[in-house]
Amino acid sequence: MNPVKVGIAGLGTVGSGTVNILRSNADEIARRVGRPIEIAHIGARRDNPACDTRGIRVSRDVMDVARDPQIDIVVELIGGTTTARELVLAAIANGKHVVTANKALIAEHGNEIFSAAHAKGVDVAFEAAVAGGVPILKALGEGLAANRIKWVAGIINGTGNFILTEMRDKGRDFADVLKEAQALGYAEADPTFDVEGIDAAHKLTILASIAFGIPLQFSRVYTEGISRLTREDIAAAEQFGYRIKHLGIAKDTGNGIELRVHPTLIPQEVLLASVNGVMNAVMVDGDAVGPTLFYGAGAGAGPTGSAVVADIIEMGRSLTIDHELRVPYLGFHTDVLSDHPVLPIDGVVCPFYIRLLVQDRTGVLADITRILSQHRISIEAMFQKDVDDDQPVPIMLMTHSVLERDINDALAEIAALDTVLGDIVRIRVELLKA
Ligand code: HSE
């Protein structure tokens, strides 16, 4: 049988991982596809000692791969959204199928890319873009395709999870752990993408589109990072029976879709709370299946290469099938994507954790609880730290479910009290009940 001819653009960590898997598992992969997969062309500005490219044509201009007439599938692993976008659109224009691991590219330019691919009758697959080696996109678009998805909640940035785990387990400071994550190679080239939630927002955009059949809407994701979290809040959450995780949450409320990335208190007993270090996990609640959990490595040459190669295998199997009959790019056919609105963040309803610093004076607590009750906010639990006389007192409290707009109004009034000092910390809570 003729081999499927693959061109790989980019030979960094994921590119070299992909080449190594395609080579070391070539026989097993050929048995799965029904024909061999041949790496016919690599485009890379420089070699990578982590992989052997002997016998493969290598070009220094990545665009050569998109132009090579013998290539069936172009694999974009260069990252970024400028050259990567040009390369992908050029490959599509030349009638090639595309596999990419590029979450920013799909989240920000996916609608344009799919429309070009649809017009040309070619396929685009991007399993590696979300949660690395965890096959969550195939799970949502195929394995759970029978369901109306109610919500998806995931730890989808390994660097952020590593930082939070170290802060909690070892009482380390944020900046110190971030440096280690960078040295270990987990963090994005620009680590603000990890710690300010942009990387997670890219991934959540993709998850939500495949879960609910909506167009990609990266600019509508509410995004809050972990850089302002303190060890004090992490410890206080534990005292209330919760753990702080940086979650991406996509929820179909019936009135619209919530798309949000932010630090979140989750009950210690839910499985997601035990996902530590750089590991990723995504929980999905479907109306027929109930709660499901997908766990694994979210980054690295092997795990991400595993997802890239899985896409190549799937495409290799279906190269001769008419494009309209393959799994749609976003799991739902492009012409029936829904226009469900994405809801504003102040319309979210959830419990809150609140920490504030107050003067130790009679009536301070009464003022705070009065304002909360005037805004119909009910307190679930509260504790006050014992401090030396005349020192400001930290108060931590958990509310019952409340509309975010109401808590904002209440906290603005509380912050205006003379007895309340400094900024008030507030962190959303998710019970993750299916
Ligand atoms: N920087 C990302 C993470 C890598 O930490 O999860 C994979 O997208």
Side-chain angles (χ1 to χ4, degrees):
M1 264 253 193
N2 285 341
V4 177
K5 299 214 173 185
V6 171
I8 295 177
L11 209 52
T13 305
V14 183
S16 61
T18 300
V19 170
N20 290 338
I21 295 168
L22 283 171
R23 293 197 128 178
S24 60
N25 292 352
D27 292 345
E28 199 68 349
I29 290 170
R31 288 206 304 138
R32 292 189 191 273
V33 180
R35 53 201 276 212
I37 303 275
E38 178 190 327
I39 307 170
H41 197 161
I42 289 176
R45 277 198 297 249
R46 61 189 78 85
D47 294 333
N48 184 339
C51 78
D52 181 2
T53 55
R54 271 175 300 180
I56 304 173
R57 179 181 168 201
V58 178
S59 299
R60 291 299 172 216
D61 180 356
V62 288
M63 296 303 281
D64 283 351
V65 175
R67 288 190 284 257
D68 185 339
Q70 62 165 334
I71 297 295
D72 300 303
I73 302 170
V74 169
V75 183
E76 183 280 306
L77 302 173
I78 54 182
T81 51
T82 313
T83 311
R85 174 176 162 274
E86 281 167 30
L87 176 95
V88 164
L89 291 174
I92 290 169
N94 291 334
K96 299 179 190 316
H97 303 286
V98 171
V99 172
T100 176
N102 192 328
K103 55 232 157 174
L105 180 71
I106 296 298
E108 295 181 32
H109 301 287
N111 298 324
E112 175 195 20
I113 289 169
F114 299 150
S115 135
H118 186 65
K120 211 58 194 172
V122 295
D123 214 352
V124 180
F126 42 92
E127 180 64 67
V130 179
V134 184
I136 182 63
L137 302 189
K138 285 185 181 51
L140 274 172
E142 298 174 51
L144 298 176
N147 291 262
R148 177 177 284 275
I149 303 297
K150 297 198 241 173
W151 53 261
V152 177
I155 294 170
I156 44 181
N157 181 268
T159 302
N161 201 45
F162 174 71
I163 293 173
L164 292 183
T165 305
E166 290 287 305
M167 285 175 78
R168 179 178 67 89
D169 288 356
K170 303 185 185 150
R172 293 174 66 189
D173 276 326
F174 173 82
D176 169 41
V177 192
L178 173 59
K179 264 196 215 128
E180 188 185 341
Q182 285 176 284
L184 291 169
Y186 302 147
E188 294 293 302
D190 177 351
T192 57
F193 271 48
D194 295 300
V195 299
E196 297 307 342
I198 300 155
D199 177 76
H202 283 141
K203 294 166 180 166
L204 185 74
T205 302
I206 299 171
L207 284 171
S209 287
I210 299 182
F212 307 127
I214 56 173
L216 295 151
Q217 297 169 77
F218 171 66
S219 63
R220 309 296 309 275
V221 181
Y222 171 81
T223 307
E224 202 179 294
I226 56 168
S227 56
R228 283 170 303 281
L229 280 180
T230 62
R231 284 181 292 172
E232 198 177 2
D233 293 317
I234 290 172
E238 297 280 324
Q239 272 189 268
F240 283 120
Y242 290 81
R243 192 149 295 162
I244 301 184
K245 290 292 181 189
H246 197 207
L247 291 193
I249 299 166
K251 202 180 273 187
D252 185 352
T253 66
N255 297 320
I257 310 283
E258 291 177 5
L259 288 182
R260 46 196 173 100
V261 170
H262 52 71
T264 315
L265 272 77
I266 58 175
Q268 278 167 5
E269 61 275 11
V270 302
L271 284 171
L272 220 46
S274 304
V275 174
N276 290 321
V278 285
M279 300 309 276
N280 282 201
V282 182
M283 199 173 166
V284 180
D285 186 20
D287 64 350
V289 71
T292 55
L293 182 68
F294 302 84
Y295 169 91
T304 314
S306 160
V308 170
V309 173
D311 277 345
I312 297 172
I313 290 172
E314 189 190 329
M315 264 181 202
R317 285 172 176 149
S318 59
L319 271 188
T320 52
I321 299 175
D322 185 74
H323 148 75
E324 299 279 355
L325 302 176
R326 296 192 208 120
V327 178
Y329 310 122
L330 290 173
F332 291 76
H333 282 280
T334 316
D335 54 351
V336 290
L337 292 183
S338 100
D339 56 2
H340 272 24
V342 175
L343 300 172
I345 190 68
D346 66 358
V348 166
V349 176
C350 67
F352 277 83
Y353 159 89
I354 291 163
R355 175 167 61 83
L356 62 172
L357 200 59
V358 300
Q359 284 173 1
D360 198 359
R361 275 210 234 136
T362 313
V364 174
L365 261 185
D367 286 342
I368 293 168
T369 51
R370 175 182 47 79
I371 294 172
L372 289 174
S373 78
Q374 279 168 350
H375 289 272
R376 300 171 305 279
I377 298 165
S378 151
I379 297 171
E380 191 201 64
M382 175 152 86
F383 72 84
Q384 178 178 326
K385 266 201 174 163
D386 198 17
V387 291
D388 292 339
D389 284 351
D390 302 329
Q391 288 299 305
V393 188
I395 293 174
M396 288 81 161
L397 57 90
M398 304 279 300
T399 73
H400 286 287
S401 269
V402 48
L403 179 67
E404 179 141 347
R405 206 172 298 129
D406 289 341
I407 198 110
N408 289 344
D409 292 346
L411 292 185
E413 273 182 47
I414 291 172
L417 295 171
D418 298 341
T419 45
V420 173
L421 312 165
D423 291 338
I424 300 177
V425 172
R426 60 150 179 62
I427 306 176
R428 297 171 192 85
V429 179
E430 280 294 325
L431 302 177
L432 300 174
K433 282 206 182 117

